[in-house]
């Protein structure tokens, strides 16, 4: 039988890191291990959690005695290197090596966490005779086979957390499963892929899925459009056309592709609940002769067709080629709600104007209005005199607005640059103007996550 170890209590300052831990390459100095664990293994987050909740009583540290440490022995972590590092830094944040990126903020965060916590000076551990004696149990903790602890799947994590990062995907897949729109196998295997895409606001906007602050889900598209988009999206998930490893740039590109593929408009309607939307889609599909595209039009629809006659005539060539011309930028329920919360009449009016005007007939006006909207957002967030072309730079996108993906920041900066150039020329040149409505619509989609973040971070 393997060594079962012995439960003992020791002082926290008797703990030392294992410099040959399998979690990282072999290090010669503790400072090297600390730097790695801080930068790569999220030790600061762990330390903050320990300061609030204490160490996990269901998961004791495994240690063995360091040789040659005399009457007051030191103990090396056989299992629990991250926790040992977290405890060490809570007691002495200055142990983070100088030169570590973000060190000052880390030290400040740890000091604040330790100050408000009842920091234990004594901790229970399981003492083994040697590192070799502890190895069978360490292997069972980390090596994935039939003897080891089984990691929860993403779906199991979602059930346990009840509101974790997979909640968007779980809400859609659960609703689709109960209506037989997907199989149980798809529901179990595709959660992370669906969440990779639905976690991106540009993709949610493309599908027409919005959520309020209570994470209640709505649909703000025509049901026929939403049905086409949902079918195409789920089919691409089902056939592994999409991957859980896709980055933000991949997701944004796909959101453009699915709109072009399905040929839906970007018109938005009064939101209805996601479950109600899916129920209506199932009902329409089950009706005999359920082709809703040829239903008789109302007087209001006919009036709208007449108003859009010029746009439709001008777009016939593009329709024949299979490309869908966006007639309007089109707003979203999520954006509208945030603009209303801002309490700024100018912002609301600019937003309503640029999203409702015809792209074909009023592109120069929309460009200048969009330019003015971004200028106003920069001034409200950064103070008078801030201009968006200089204000929304890479570092601020990352640090102030939570846009951490490098590729997404690049696409946002490129869209801002285009808007600056087109807006300035349209405003100030005697003859030059922006007439590319499709590009301005795409740039609006790209900038939507930034606009939402700025609105949510405006000074109160």
């Amino acid at each position: 039988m393997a060594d079962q170890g012995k439960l003992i209590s020791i002082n926290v300052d008797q703990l030392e890191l294992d410099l040959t831990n399998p979690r990282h390459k072999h290090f010669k100095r503790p400072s090297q291990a600390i730097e790695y664990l801080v930068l790569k293994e999220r030790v600061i987050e762990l330390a903050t959690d320990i300061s609030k909740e204490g160490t996990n009583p269901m998961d004791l540290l495994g240690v063995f005695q360091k040789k040659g440490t005399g009457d007051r022995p030191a103990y090396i972590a056989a299992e629990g290197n991250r926790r040992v590092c977290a405890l060490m830094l809570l007691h002495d944040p200055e142990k983070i090596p100088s030169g570590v990126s973000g060190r000052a903020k880390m030290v400040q965060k740890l000091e604040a966490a330790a100050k408000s916590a009842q920091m234990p000076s004594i901790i229970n551990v399981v003492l083994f005779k040697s590192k070799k004696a502890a190895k069978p149990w360490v292997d069972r903790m980390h090596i994935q086979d039939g003897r080891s602890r089984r990691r929860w799947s993403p779906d199991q994590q979602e059930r346990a957390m009840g509101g974790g990062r997979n909640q968007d995907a779980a809400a859609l897949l659960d609703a689709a499963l109960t209506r037989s729109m997907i199989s149980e196998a798809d529901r179990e295997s595709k959660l992370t892929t669906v969440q990779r895409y639905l976690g991106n606001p540009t993709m949610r906007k493309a599908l027409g899925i919005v959520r309020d602050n209570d994470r209640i889900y709505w649909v703000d598209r025509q049901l026929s459009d939403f049905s086409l988009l949902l079918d195409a999206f789920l089919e691409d998930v089902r056939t592994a056309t999409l991957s859980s490893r896709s980055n933000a740039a991949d997701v944004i590109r796909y959101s453009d592709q699915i709109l072009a593929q399905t040929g839906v408009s970007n018109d938005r309607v009064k939101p209805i609940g996601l479950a109600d939307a899916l129920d209506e889609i199932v009902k329409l599909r089950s009706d005999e002769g359920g082709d809703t595209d040829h239903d008789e039009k109302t007087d209001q629809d006919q009036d709208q067709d007449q108003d859009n006659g010029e746009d439709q005539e001008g777009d016939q060539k593009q329709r024949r080629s299979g490309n869908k011309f966006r007639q309007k930028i089109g707003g979203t329920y999520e954006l509208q709600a945030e603009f209303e919360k801002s309490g700024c009449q100018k912002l609301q009016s600019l937003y309503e104007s640029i999203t409702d005007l015809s792209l074909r007939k009023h592109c120069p006006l929309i460009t200048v209005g969009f330019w003015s909207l971004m200028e106003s957002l920069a001034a409200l967030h950064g103070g008078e005199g801030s201009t968006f072309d200089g204000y929304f730079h890479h570092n601020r996108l990352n640090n102030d607005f939570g846009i951490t993906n490098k590729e997404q920041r690049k696409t946002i900066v490129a869209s801002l640059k285009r808007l600056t150039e087109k807006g300035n020329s349209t405003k100030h040149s005697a003859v030059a103007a922006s007439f590319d409505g499709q590009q301005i619509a795409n740039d609006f989609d790209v900038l939507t996550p930034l606009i939402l973040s700025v609105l949510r971070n405006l000074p109160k």
Side-chain angles (χ1 to χ4, degrees), residues 26-312:
H26 291 192
F27 292 123
K28 294 182 179 180
R29 298 184 299 277
S31 61
Q32 294 173 312
I34 292 172
E35 180 174 355
Y36 175 86
L37 292 168
V38 164
L39 294 178
K40 301 295 184 180
E41 297 290 348
R42 304 182 68 176
V43 162
I44 302 301
E45 291 94 325
L46 176 60
T48 303
D49 182 69
I50 289 175
S51 73
K52 295 175 182 177
E53 307 295 343
T55 55
N56 187 347
M58 297 178 69
D59 194 5
L60 295 177
L61 290 170
V63 301
F64 58 95
Q65 186 172 331
K66 184 178 181 180
K67 293 180 180 179
T69 51
D71 295 335
R72 193 173 187 274
Y75 297 94
I76 298 174
E79 164 54 31
N81 233 28
R82 289 180 68 241
R83 279 170 288 164
V84 169
C85 186
L87 288 166
M88 291 170 64
L89 295 182
L90 281 170
H91 282 82
D92 186 3
E94 294 296 333
K95 285 186 175 180
I96 298 177
S98 59
V100 170
S101 177
R103 181 181 186 275
K105 288 185 178 180
M106 293 179 190
V107 170
Q108 186 178 20
K109 186 173 183 178
L110 289 167
E111 287 176 342
K115 185 177 181 180
S116 61
Q118 295 291 329
M119 294 302 302
S121 58
I122 296 177
I123 187 170
N124 293 327
V125 299
V126 179
L127 175 64
F128 292 92
K129 296 175 182 177
S130 65
K131 184 175 183 178
K132 183 178 179 180
K135 189 176 186 303
W137 306 114
V138 175
D139 290 349
R140 282 166 175 76
M141 294 287 288
H142 297 287
I143 296 176
Q144 295 298 304
D145 60 21
R147 302 170 300 166
S148 66
R149 178 181 294 173
R150 294 286 294 167
R151 290 178 58 86
W152 277 344
S153 69
D155 214 17
Q156 292 164 341
Q157 292 180 48
E158 175 59 36
R159 293 191 194 107
M161 294 173 68
R165 62 188 180 91
N166 289 321
Q167 186 170 345
D168 295 333
L172 177 62
L173 292 176
D174 283 341
L177 176 62
T178 59
R179 292 157 181 83
S180 300
M181 300 173 77
I182 60 171
S183 68
E184 182 68 41
D186 290 333
R187 170 66 182 82
E188 292 297 324
S189 64
K190 302 300 184 181
L191 181 71
T192 53
T193 298
V194 174
Q195 180 54 31
R196 173 67 67 181
Y197 282 77
L198 288 190
N200 188 296
T202 301
M203 185 62 195
R204 289 201 303 274
K205 178 185 174 184
L207 291 177
I209 295 176
V210 294
R211 66 187 182 203
D212 59 24
N213 291 334
D214 295 323
R215 281 193 177 260
I216 298 174
Y217 295 85
W218 307 80
V219 174
D220 68 353
R221 278 192 175 279
Q222 295 283 357
L223 289 181
S224 57
D225 287 348
F226 178 63
S227 179
L228 284 173
L229 289 162
L230 184 60
D231 283 346
F233 175 54
L234 291 177
E235 180 62 20
D236 287 339
V237 171
R238 199 178 289 119
T239 58
T241 303
L242 307 180
S243 168
S244 61
R245 295 185 295 275
S246 301
N247 59 33
D250 294 331
V251 177
I252 292 170
R253 278 194 296 271
Y254 177 74
S255 69
D256 289 336
Q257 292 167 6
I258 196 173
L259 291 173
Q261 171 191 338
T262 55
V264 300
S265 72
N266 202 39
D267 296 338
R268 305 292 163 149
V269 298
K270 183 178 179 180
I272 65 172
L274 173 62
D276 292 335
L278 293 177
D279 283 339
E280 286 296 319
I281 290 172
V282 172
K283 180 181 177 183
L284 288 171
R285 291 177 180 179
S286 65
D287 289 342
E288 290 186 2
D291 184 357
T292 60
D293 291 338
H294 303 291
D295 288 348
E296 190 172 329
K297 292 184 177 180
T298 65
D299 291 341
Q300 184 178 0
D301 292 332
Q302 292 171 355
D303 290 342
Q304 186 64 44
D305 286 348
Q306 186 175 356
D307 292 341
N308 292 335
E310 184 180 342
D311 284 347
Q312 292 171 347

